[in-house]
Protein backbone atom coordinates (compact mmCIF):
# COMPACT_ATOMS: atom_id res chain seq x y z
CA UNK A 1 0.00 0.00 0.00
CA UNK A 2 1.10 3.55 -0.54
CA UNK A 3 0.18 6.91 0.93
CA UNK A 4 1.09 10.56 0.63
CA UNK A 5 1.19 13.26 3.27
CA UNK A 6 1.27 16.91 2.33
CA UNK A 7 2.30 19.10 5.22
CA UNK A 8 0.46 22.37 5.28
CA UNK A 9 -2.97 22.66 3.73
CA UNK A 10 -2.34 26.34 3.07
CA UNK A 11 0.90 28.08 2.16
CA UNK A 12 1.27 31.80 1.55
CA UNK A 13 4.30 33.42 -0.03
CA UNK A 14 5.08 36.84 -1.36
CA UNK A 15 5.52 37.34 -5.06
CA UNK A 16 9.16 36.67 -5.90
CA UNK A 17 9.76 34.55 -2.80
CA UNK A 18 10.73 30.90 -2.67
CA UNK A 19 7.92 28.38 -2.92
CA UNK A 20 8.28 25.17 -0.91
CA UNK A 21 5.47 22.64 -0.79
CA UNK A 22 6.13 19.53 1.24
CA UNK A 23 5.28 15.96 0.36
CA UNK A 24 6.23 12.76 2.16
CA UNK A 25 5.32 9.35 0.87
CA UNK A 26 5.01 5.86 2.19
CA UNK A 27 5.41 2.92 -0.15
CA UNK A 28 6.33 -0.72 0.24
CA UNK A 29 8.01 -0.75 -3.15
CA UNK A 30 9.86 1.89 -5.18
CA UNK A 31 7.36 4.58 -6.04
CA UNK A 32 6.61 6.83 -8.91
CA UNK A 33 5.87 10.33 -7.64
CA UNK A 34 3.97 13.18 -9.23
CA UNK A 35 3.06 16.77 -8.58
CA UNK A 36 -0.12 18.15 -10.10
CA UNK A 37 -1.60 21.64 -10.08
CA UNK A 38 -5.32 22.40 -10.12
CA UNK A 39 -6.86 25.77 -10.86
CA UNK A 40 -10.43 26.47 -9.70
CA UNK A 41 -13.05 24.35 -11.40
CA UNK A 42 -10.48 22.67 -13.62
CA UNK A 43 -8.85 19.29 -13.90
CA UNK A 44 -5.31 18.45 -12.91
CA UNK A 45 -2.21 19.43 -14.83
CA UNK A 46 1.01 17.51 -14.41
CA UNK A 47 3.87 19.66 -13.16
CA UNK A 48 6.54 16.98 -12.94
CA UNK A 49 7.14 13.33 -12.22
CA UNK A 50 9.80 11.10 -10.70
CA UNK A 51 10.20 7.73 -12.37
CA UNK A 52 13.41 6.37 -10.81
CA UNK A 53 15.78 8.25 -13.08
CA UNK A 54 17.32 11.53 -11.90
CA UNK A 55 16.44 12.40 -8.32
CA UNK A 56 16.16 16.10 -9.13
CA UNK A 57 13.25 16.54 -11.46
CA UNK A 58 12.50 19.71 -13.36
CA UNK A 59 8.98 20.46 -14.44
CA UNK A 60 6.95 23.12 -16.12
CA UNK A 61 6.59 26.74 -15.04
CA UNK A 62 9.92 26.73 -13.24
CA UNK A 63 9.01 24.10 -10.65
CA UNK A 64 11.30 21.32 -9.56
CA UNK A 65 11.28 18.56 -6.97
CA UNK A 66 13.91 16.35 -5.42
CA UNK A 67 13.35 12.72 -4.55
CA UNK A 68 15.03 11.88 -1.25
CA UNK A 69 14.71 8.23 -0.44
CA UNK A 70 16.29 8.55 3.00
CA UNK A 71 13.70 11.13 3.97
CA UNK A 72 10.85 9.59 1.92
CA UNK A 73 10.20 13.07 0.60
CA UNK A 74 9.43 14.70 -2.71
CA UNK A 75 9.13 18.41 -1.94
CA UNK A 76 8.15 20.86 -4.66
CA UNK A 77 10.06 24.11 -5.03
CA UNK A 78 10.16 27.20 -7.20
CA UNK A 79 12.78 29.90 -6.68
CA UNK A 80 10.51 32.86 -7.33
CA UNK A 81 6.74 32.80 -6.96
CA UNK A 82 4.50 34.41 -9.53
CA UNK A 83 0.93 35.52 -9.02
CA UNK A 84 -0.18 32.93 -11.58
CA UNK A 85 1.19 30.16 -9.34
CA UNK A 86 -1.72 30.58 -6.94
CA UNK A 87 -3.57 27.26 -7.12
CA UNK A 88 -4.08 23.94 -5.40
CA UNK A 89 -1.17 21.52 -5.58
CA UNK A 90 -1.40 17.77 -5.18
CA UNK A 91 1.34 15.27 -4.62
CA UNK A 92 0.58 11.73 -5.78
CA UNK A 93 2.22 8.33 -5.67
CA UNK A 94 1.82 5.16 -7.65
CA UNK A 95 3.59 1.86 -7.45
CA UNK A 96 6.45 1.15 -9.81
CA UNK A 97 5.25 -2.33 -10.54
CA UNK A 98 5.00 -3.56 -14.13
CA UNK A 99 1.46 -4.50 -14.92
CA UNK A 100 0.13 -2.96 -11.71
CA UNK A 101 -3.23 -1.27 -11.50
CA UNK A 102 -1.36 2.01 -11.93
CA UNK A 103 -3.60 3.78 -9.53
CA UNK A 104 -2.64 7.14 -8.14
CA UNK A 105 -2.96 7.93 -4.48
CA UNK A 106 -3.25 11.65 -3.86
CA UNK A 107 -2.26 13.77 -0.93
CA UNK A 108 -4.77 16.10 0.64
CA UNK A 109 -3.53 19.07 -1.33
CA UNK A 110 -1.89 22.39 -0.53
CA UNK A 111 -3.49 25.69 -1.42
CA UNK A 112 -0.80 28.15 -2.49
CA UNK A 113 -1.55 31.84 -2.12
CA UNK A 114 0.81 34.38 -3.64
CA UNK A 115 0.73 37.80 -2.05
CA UNK A 116 1.55 40.92 -4.05
CA UNK B 1 -1.05 15.68 -27.38
CA UNK B 2 -2.70 13.62 -24.62
CA UNK B 3 -5.85 15.70 -24.31
CA UNK B 4 -8.83 14.46 -22.34
CA UNK B 5 -12.23 16.11 -22.55
CA UNK B 6 -15.31 15.80 -20.40
CA UNK B 7 -18.88 16.61 -21.23
CA UNK B 8 -20.76 18.33 -19.83
CA UNK B 9 -18.55 20.69 -17.87
CA UNK B 10 -21.39 21.35 -15.48
CA UNK B 11 -24.87 19.97 -14.97
CA UNK B 12 -27.78 20.71 -12.68
CA UNK B 13 -30.45 18.08 -12.26
CA UNK B 14 -33.41 17.26 -10.09
CA UNK B 15 -33.24 14.66 -7.37
CA UNK B 16 -34.14 11.22 -8.66
CA UNK B 17 -32.96 11.75 -12.22
CA UNK B 18 -29.94 10.16 -13.88
CA UNK B 19 -26.99 12.03 -15.30
CA UNK B 20 -24.42 10.79 -17.79
CA UNK B 21 -20.91 12.23 -17.94
CA UNK B 22 -18.63 11.49 -20.88
CA UNK B 23 -14.87 11.26 -20.82
CA UNK B 24 -13.00 11.20 -24.11
CA UNK B 25 -9.35 10.88 -25.00
CA UNK B 26 -9.06 13.12 -28.04
CA UNK B 27 -5.71 12.23 -29.53
CA UNK B 28 -4.72 8.90 -28.06
CA UNK B 29 -6.14 5.52 -27.23
CA UNK B 30 -6.81 4.97 -23.57
CA UNK B 31 -6.69 1.39 -22.40
CA UNK B 32 -7.49 2.46 -18.86
CA UNK B 33 -9.63 5.31 -17.58
CA UNK B 34 -10.17 6.39 -14.01
CA UNK B 35 -13.05 8.23 -12.39
CA UNK B 36 -12.49 10.47 -9.39
CA UNK B 37 -14.73 12.44 -7.13
CA UNK B 38 -13.67 15.64 -5.46
CA UNK B 39 -15.56 17.46 -2.73
CA UNK B 40 -14.89 21.17 -2.17
CA UNK B 41 -11.49 21.89 -0.71
CA UNK B 42 -10.65 18.20 -0.66
CA UNK B 43 -8.46 15.82 -2.57
CA UNK B 44 -9.41 13.46 -5.36
CA UNK B 45 -10.88 10.15 -4.34
CA UNK B 46 -10.69 7.31 -6.81
CA UNK B 47 -14.12 5.87 -7.53
CA UNK B 48 -13.36 3.25 -10.14
CA UNK B 49 -10.96 2.02 -12.75
CA UNK B 50 -12.27 1.02 -16.14
CA UNK B 51 -10.56 -0.93 -18.86
CA UNK B 52 -11.84 -0.99 -22.40
CA UNK B 53 -14.16 -3.89 -23.00
CA UNK B 54 -14.37 -5.10 -19.43
CA UNK B 55 -16.27 -4.29 -16.28
CA UNK B 56 -15.09 -1.45 -14.12
CA UNK B 57 -13.35 -2.10 -10.82
CA UNK B 58 -14.92 -0.05 -8.06
CA UNK B 59 -13.20 1.18 -4.94
CA UNK B 60 -14.49 0.13 -1.58
CA UNK B 61 -17.55 2.07 -0.56
CA UNK B 62 -18.53 3.12 -4.09
CA UNK B 63 -21.92 1.77 -5.14
CA UNK B 64 -21.56 0.26 -8.58
CA UNK B 65 -25.30 0.21 -9.13
CA UNK B 66 -25.44 3.92 -8.49
CA UNK B 67 -22.35 4.93 -10.43
CA UNK B 68 -22.50 3.04 -13.70
CA UNK B 69 -19.32 3.07 -15.73
CA UNK B 70 -19.05 2.00 -19.32
CA UNK B 71 -15.79 1.95 -21.25
CA UNK B 72 -17.17 1.17 -24.66
CA UNK B 73 -14.17 2.11 -26.77
CA UNK B 74 -10.54 3.07 -26.49
CA UNK B 75 -11.47 6.75 -26.52
CA UNK B 76 -14.68 6.93 -24.51
CA UNK B 77 -15.77 6.14 -20.98
CA UNK B 78 -19.04 7.23 -19.42
CA UNK B 79 -20.13 7.64 -15.83
CA UNK B 80 -23.85 7.57 -15.17
CA UNK B 81 -25.08 8.73 -11.79
CA UNK B 82 -28.40 6.97 -11.36
CA UNK B 83 -31.22 8.35 -9.23
CA UNK B 84 -29.08 11.26 -8.20
CA UNK B 85 -29.53 12.85 -4.79
CA UNK B 86 -28.14 16.08 -3.33
CA UNK B 87 -25.34 14.19 -1.60
CA UNK B 88 -24.09 13.14 -5.05
CA UNK B 89 -23.33 16.77 -5.85
CA UNK B 90 -19.62 16.95 -6.44
CA UNK B 91 -16.87 17.57 -8.95
CA UNK B 92 -16.23 14.48 -11.05
CA UNK B 93 -12.91 14.15 -12.84
CA UNK B 94 -11.81 11.47 -15.24
CA UNK B 95 -8.33 10.56 -16.32
CA UNK B 96 -6.97 8.36 -19.05
CA UNK B 97 -3.83 6.36 -19.41
CA UNK B 98 -2.26 6.20 -22.82
CA UNK B 99 -0.75 3.11 -24.26
CA UNK B 100 2.26 5.33 -24.81
CA UNK B 101 2.60 5.93 -21.08
CA UNK B 102 4.76 2.89 -20.73
CA UNK B 103 5.49 2.03 -17.14
CA UNK B 104 5.43 5.59 -15.90
CA UNK B 105 1.79 5.33 -14.84
CA UNK B 106 1.05 8.81 -16.10
CA UNK B 107 -2.57 9.76 -16.21
CA UNK B 108 -3.98 12.61 -18.27
CA UNK B 109 -6.85 14.40 -16.61
CA UNK B 110 -10.04 15.83 -17.98
CA UNK B 111 -11.26 19.30 -16.97
CA UNK B 112 -13.92 17.91 -14.65
CA UNK B 113 -17.71 18.01 -14.45
CA UNK B 114 -19.52 19.92 -11.75
CA UNK B 115 -22.72 18.08 -10.78
CA UNK B 116 -25.35 19.83 -8.70
CA UNK B 117 -28.40 17.86 -7.64
CA UNK B 118 -31.33 19.93 -6.43
Amino acid sequence: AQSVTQLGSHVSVSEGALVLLRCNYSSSVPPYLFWYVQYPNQGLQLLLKYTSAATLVKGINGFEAEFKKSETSFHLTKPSAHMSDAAEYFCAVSLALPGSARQLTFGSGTQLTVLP
Amino acid sequence: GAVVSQHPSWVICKSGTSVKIECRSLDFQATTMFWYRQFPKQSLMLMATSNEGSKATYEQGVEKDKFLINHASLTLSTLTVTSAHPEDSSFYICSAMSRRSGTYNEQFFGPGTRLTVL
Side-chain angles (χ1 to χ4, degrees):
Chain A
Q2 68 272 21
S3 66
V4 173
T5 301
Q6 290 185 240
L7 297 176
S9 58
H10 290 84
V11 171
S12 292
V13 299
S14 298
E15 190 174 19
L18 171 71
V19 175
L20 171 61
L21 304 183
R22 299 178 186 274
C23 172
N24 288 87
Y25 70 91
S26 173
S27 176
S28 56
V29 298
Y32 292 143
L33 294 161
F34 306 80
W35 274 101
Y36 289 90
V37 62
Q38 184 182 34
Y39 296 97
N41 295 310
Q42 295 187 27
L44 273 66
Q45 181 182 10
L46 180 68
L47 283 176
L48 48 80
K49 60 186 178 185
Y50 166 76
T51 56
S52 73
T55 56
L56 181 61
V57 181
K58 294 187 183 297
I60 62 172
N61 301 338
F63 285 95
E64 63 181 39
E66 186 172 8
F67 173 70
K68 293 186 177 181
K69 184 178 179 180
S70 61
E71 300 177 8
T72 61
S73 68
F74 190 57
H75 302 330
L76 181 71
T77 61
K78 181 174 180 177
S80 176
H82 192 273
M83 296 298 289
S84 61
D85 295 327
E88 186 85 19
Y89 291 79
F90 292 98
C91 182
V93 62
S94 69
L95 299 182
L97 294 174
S100 73
R102 306 177 180 178
Q103 295 175 350
L104 286 172
T105 299
F106 286 89
S108 55
T110 298
Q111 179 67 47
L112 176 65
T113 299
V114 181
L115 305 172
Chain B
V3 178
V4 176
S5 70
Q6 280 185 243
H7 178 79
S9 55
W10 60 269
V11 57
I12 301 173
C13 69
K14 293 183 178 180
S15 184
T17 60
S18 294
V19 174
K20 178 183 286 188
I21 302 170
E22 293 186 348
C23 176
R24 293 182 184 271
S25 55
L26 298 184
D27 52 1
F28 65 99
Q29 293 183 329
T31 52
T32 303
M33 287 185 169
F34 302 87
W35 286 95
Y36 297 86
R37 184 173 182 176
Q38 186 181 31
F39 290 106
K41 306 297 184 183
Q42 294 188 27
S43 188
L44 280 73
M45 298 301 296
L46 179 66
M47 298 175 67
T49 302
S50 76
N51 294 293
E52 186 266 338
S54 62
K55 291 184 178 180
T57 301
Y58 290 82
E59 295 300 298
Q60 192 173 6
V62 177
E63 300 176 58
K64 54 184 169 183
D65 293 332
K66 180 168 189 59
F67 298 100
L68 302 178
I69 293 173
N70 184 289
H71 194 157
S73 74
L74 286 173
T75 60
L76 173 64
S77 177
T78 60
L79 168 68
T80 301
V81 183
T82 63
S83 186
H85 288 91
E87 59 264 29
D88 299 323
S89 299
S90 189
F91 194 52
Y92 292 88
I93 302 176
C94 74
S95 70
M97 183 170 292
S98 167
R99 287 180 169 180
R100 299 195 305 267
S101 296
T103 60
Y104 293 161
N105 299 6
E106 182 173 349
Q107 297 178 24
F108 302 97
F109 286 82
T113 296
R114 174 75 59 193
L115 171 62
T116 301
V117 184
L118 302 177

